[in-house]
Amino acid sequence: MVCITGCKKAHNITFILEPFKYKDTTIMTIETLNARRLLCPLPVIRTQDKVKQLNVGDRLEVICTDPGVMQDIPAWCRINGHKVIEATAGNHEYILLIEVGSS
Amino acid sequence: MSKQRKAIALISGGLDSMLAAKTIMEQGVHVEGINFFTGFCVEGHTHAIREKDKAKPKRNNSLWVAEQLGMKLHIVDVIEEYKNVLINPKHGYGAHMNPCLDCKIFMVNKAKQWIVENDFDFIITGEVIGQRPMSQRKATMPIVAKESGADDLLLRPLCAKNLPATLPEREGWVDREKLHDITGRSRKPQIAMAEQFGFDDYSQPAGGCCFLTDKSYSAKLVDLWKSQGHKEYQLDDVMLLKVGRHIRPQPNFKLIVAREEGEGRFLQGYKNEFISMISLSHRGPLALIDGTPSAEDLYLAAQITARFGQGREAEQVDINVTMIDGSERTLQVKPIKDEDMPKAWYV
Ligand code: SF4
């Protein structure tokens, strides 16, 4: 297969350049929310308000500095039918990747 | 088949609102929770800031309650609108700066707006007659219902039997017989109900879930208003009142001195908005200076900052001063002695 990046060499890797499709119909968007310096429950409120503007399957990355979000945002997601895909902590920052559910 | 009715429950994170919501859910009503964030809610804040609280669980009790009950929770930011409640409470303040009656009226009114917008039928609160001296008396119950505009759409399941029947009871959306008649300050009936429902580990904070009922916090708020000559405030102002030692040596400035590392890190975030000080020669806390200090005031502030570091007994401490524009200088000061710091300076 000829490389689609234009180098004209043969590779056995396929590059997928199409946008990722969720359930074959919706194009997924990934948004980022800066919730640094906000203390709980404000990061949860900002997440809640942002999620309202997104569609099912969209993803939201929330960047926070209050460690309480590691407990509160997953709890909020469980209650409201969203999914935490990834939660990472380091260097006094806490990042959660949320997938919007159908609630 | 009759239509399933929908109610919104005001959820504070405490036991009473949890029991009130559960009582109505048990009757087959669809219940969702609503929680208002005023900026003064205790939830999480100090835990998030203070290092020494890190070991404690940081759960948000309203979210916890909603999860236990299996209901949705809407958290609403009312910081801006709440200012008017706190600044001009028609019914006055409680023991401290808590405008409880106006606050209840405000929240029930917000809930009323919410049910109209979201096509819900009625509102539930966890109020109990006689539970709180200011906002939960038999005489105040109709005031909340009337002034909030909720009127008889406001149901208090824990003490409903002691009050006139509301619309949900009269219409048979809920069975009044299965509601309760709790009165007074004893917590026994609530604890028994919690046991019956199998709830444990619920939150019963001694000082409530609001900083405005806290004596020392209220004193700091009054000091803030007095120093600025008006009652307006920003969220950052009220957040900072939760952190550090507040020392006001003069009416025109005060120091906010971090008490430990977590607070120091939190105050760091405000370095662009305040003059800040920290000892260079000895280990010591970060201090923010709020107000309009003169050069002499800054010298005094540096002496106070030095007093809270490891150089407190030293002859000389080097204090770095960073101005709001980022310019820096070093002041060499002798730490102030304890006896030269009157108790009245501590806000
Ligand atoms: S304690 Fe605080 S939140 Fe509760 S009613 Fe009083 S002022 Fe409002």
Side-chain angles (χ1 to χ4, degrees), chain B residues 61-202:
Chain B
N61 286 312
S62 310
L63 287 167
W64 180 83
V65 164
E67 199 168 10
Q68 295 301 305
L69 297 179
M71 71 179 183
K72 279 194 188 175
L73 179 74
H74 309 274
I75 310 179
V76 186
D77 171 353
V78 292
I79 297 166
E80 279 305 312
E81 289 167 88
Y82 194 75
K83 287 179 181 174
N84 192 40
V85 178
L86 178 58
I87 294 172
N88 305 304
K90 181 178 159 196
H91 298 280
Y93 298 102
H96 302 294
M97 293 311 291
N98 47 313
C100 289
L101 187 48
D102 291 85
C103 177
K104 274 270 150 61
I105 294 167
F106 168 79
M107 288 183 182
V108 174
N109 172 265
K110 295 292 297 176
K112 170 76 195 302
Q113 287 172 26
W114 195 93
I115 63 167
V116 171
E117 283 159 20
N118 293 278
D119 197 21
F120 272 49
D121 300 296
F122 62 101
I123 303 159
I124 308 165
T125 68
E127 290 166 288
V128 167
I129 297 171
Q131 177 91 195
R132 297 205 189 273
M134 183 179 183
S135 59
Q136 297 189 31
R137 286 179 289 121
K138 190 146 192 172
T140 61
M141 297 275 163
I143 298 176
V144 174
K146 186 163 183 291
E147 293 191 15
S148 65
D151 295 312
D152 62 356
L153 293 180
L154 174 60
L155 175 66
R156 286 103 164 187
L158 301 187
C159 62
K161 282 180 165 171
N162 298 322
L163 294 167
T166 57
L167 189 74
E169 294 159 272
R170 293 199 307 272
E171 291 292 320
W173 303 341
V174 297
D175 180 354
R176 183 171 166 91
E177 281 316 301
K178 291 186 184 147
L179 302 178
H180 306 283
D181 58 359
I182 305 174
T183 52
R185 306 198 68 158
S186 160
R187 306 289 301 153
K188 280 190 189 145
Q190 286 94 319
I191 291 167
M193 269 174 80
E195 250 178 54
Q196 200 186 318
F197 285 133
F199 299 150
D200 51 18
D201 200 24
Y202 47 81

Side-chain angles (χ1 to χ4, degrees), chain B residues 247-249 300 303-304 307 334-346:
Chain B
I247 300 163
R248 183 177 293 286
L300 175 60
Q303 287 184 292
I304 296 170
R307 147 75 184 76
K334 187 171 164 59
I336 193 166
K337 291 200 178 75
D338 272 350
E339 55 268 34
D340 295 331
M341 283 190 61
K343 273 215 173 74
W345 286 8
Y346 289 89

